[in-house]
Amino acid sequence: MSNASHSAPTPSLRRLPQYLRLLRTWAQQGRTTVSCTSLAEELGQDPTQVRKDLAITGIVGKPKVGYDLVELAEAIERFLGWNSTNRAVLVGAGNLGLALLGYSGFQAYGLEIVAAFDSNPQKTEYAGKKIFSLSKLPAMARRLKIRLGILAVPQNAAVEAANMMVDCGILAVLNFTSVRLHLPEQVIVEEIDLAQNLAVLSHQLAAKKLT
Amino acid sequence: MSNASHSAPTPSLRRLPQYLRLLRTWAQQGRTTVSCTSLAEELGQDPTQVRKDLAITGIVGKPKVGYDLVELAEAIERFLGWNSTNRAVLVGAGNLGLALLGYSGFQAYGLEIVAAFDSNPQKTEYAGKKIFSLSKLPAMARRLKIRLGILAVPQNAAVEAANMMVDCGILAVLNFTSVRLHLPEQVIVEEIDLAQNLAVLSHQLAAKKLT
DNA sequence: TAGATTGTTAATCGATTAACAATC
DNA sequence: TAGATTGTTAATCGATTAACAATC
């Protein structure tokens, strides 16, 4: 398969970071090749599924040998757009916002928070990153040509902040609020909704109780 | 369908909190009945899908009328185990841990963090909640009969902390680390992995760039 | 060579969507 | 009553899993 640039299955996309993490660990241990079998075994998944997932990145392996580890890791990174850094703005510097701002792991996922914004002008810095008044967002986002926005404001400020982001030319929003946003359809929105995870977990837990 | 206690489709489980949130909003506005049509329209989903999702909670509606709002909300809560509060311990009081500890929205999801634990004994309190030394975890978790653990420690402490939780009799783990845990199979693990969301979002963003 | 692994096609499974009778 | 909505069965769609030829 030469080109699979758009509409990859979402489940596959969600699994790719898992493979990548494992590859990075193995790279540090000096491994140079990997097989779908070994990845599948370590992650408790089906080898064929792993093979299909990797195939969408365009990687080509060698029968009997597997894939070149570095080549595979780079193929995944390229496919996810993690080879070049995505610069993002963070809107909302409350507890969650600060946690995100202080998180150093984003660079491994091709993400860099270049600035944070909050309606409270008292907040000016955290973890070496500047926090600006929300009113500065439009000018800065446009000047820096930011395409990604992280929304971590209180519920009641969500709609307004999201619209502001869109007006700034932001094309993708990582939405940490539980407010359903009605944005123009060309804007990509990814929801981070803990309630969904809790629903799965607590239903299973409640079911177990009855057994 | 009278009883659907176990093995509900995960996608349905993940959608139930969305319905519940909307119901609560509408309840405040004084509405007393809802139809699948109205829920579906508001959430941009298929009405039949909504009907099937609601059916797994055991709710019964009236043709032409819809569902009693309060009855439906309670059915969802009961089905998810959110009618009684699930008490949880939080392990790891770093940036993320404190954000979780300070988050007041959990009670709406039937969750209460009763205590936090950290390897650093300097930390003693946050947002009115006590933070204890990690060595206190086993005794307290057992005494309070805690079944749910929230794991928010650094990567390198994840495996040990998770095993500690299991030894305390914890049955379900909300895993905020990106470390793959190998726990006994009866322990329920729900992964909160931002990398998965970022993969979906940044791949779509990268694809858009090419268009 | 023999056997492990890739790449691909076919079969299965489960979730979503469509169709429609029942009913308030 | 007529029409909107539920509950349920059937059809479609997409993802996972199985089967197998190609190959290093």
Side-chain angles (χ1 to χ4, degrees), chain A residues 5-78:
Chain A
S5 65
H6 57 294
S7 77
T10 307
S12 297
L13 286 175
R14 300 181 84 95
R15 283 188 296 264
L16 287 175
Q18 292 187 67
Y19 305 139
L20 185 55
R21 263 197 296 258
L22 201 47
L23 292 175
R24 286 171 176 164
T25 308
W26 285 349
Q28 284 185 330
Q29 294 168 3
R31 290 183 63 161
T32 55
T33 59
V34 285
S35 68
C36 291
T37 326
S38 55
L39 281 166
E41 197 169 338
E42 182 68 22
L43 297 170
Q45 286 166 7
D46 185 278
T48 306
Q49 184 177 70
V50 175
R51 202 167 296 122
K52 288 222 164 147
D53 286 346
L54 301 184
I56 65 173
T57 68
I59 188 78
V60 174
K62 286 205 188 76
K64 157 105 176 152
V65 180
Y67 304 86
D68 180 83
L69 196 156
V70 173
E71 207 180 302
L72 177 55
E74 284 174 357
I76 296 176
E77 286 168 359
R78 204 177 322 115

Side-chain angles (χ1 to χ4, degrees), chain A residues 96 99 103 194, chain B residues 88-102 106 113 115-120 123 131 134 137 148-163 165 170 172-179 181 189-193:
Chain A
L96 176 61
Y103 181 55
L194 197 50
Chain B
V89 287
L90 169 71
V91 177
N95 276 318
L96 175 62
L98 294 181
L100 293 169
L101 201 54
F106 283 139
I113 300 177
F117 299 87
D118 197 279
S119 59
N120 177 355
K123 302 179 180 175
I131 304 173
L134 195 50
L137 173 61
L148 207 166
I150 302 174
L151 188 64
V153 300
Q155 306 293 320
N156 57 23
V159 172
E160 196 185 340
N163 288 335
M165 283 182 177
I170 279 172
V173 176
L174 206 53
N175 180 19
F176 280 88
T177 78
S178 54
V179 175
L181 304 172
V189 179
E190 182 69 18
E191 308 284 340
I192 317 285
D193 183 3

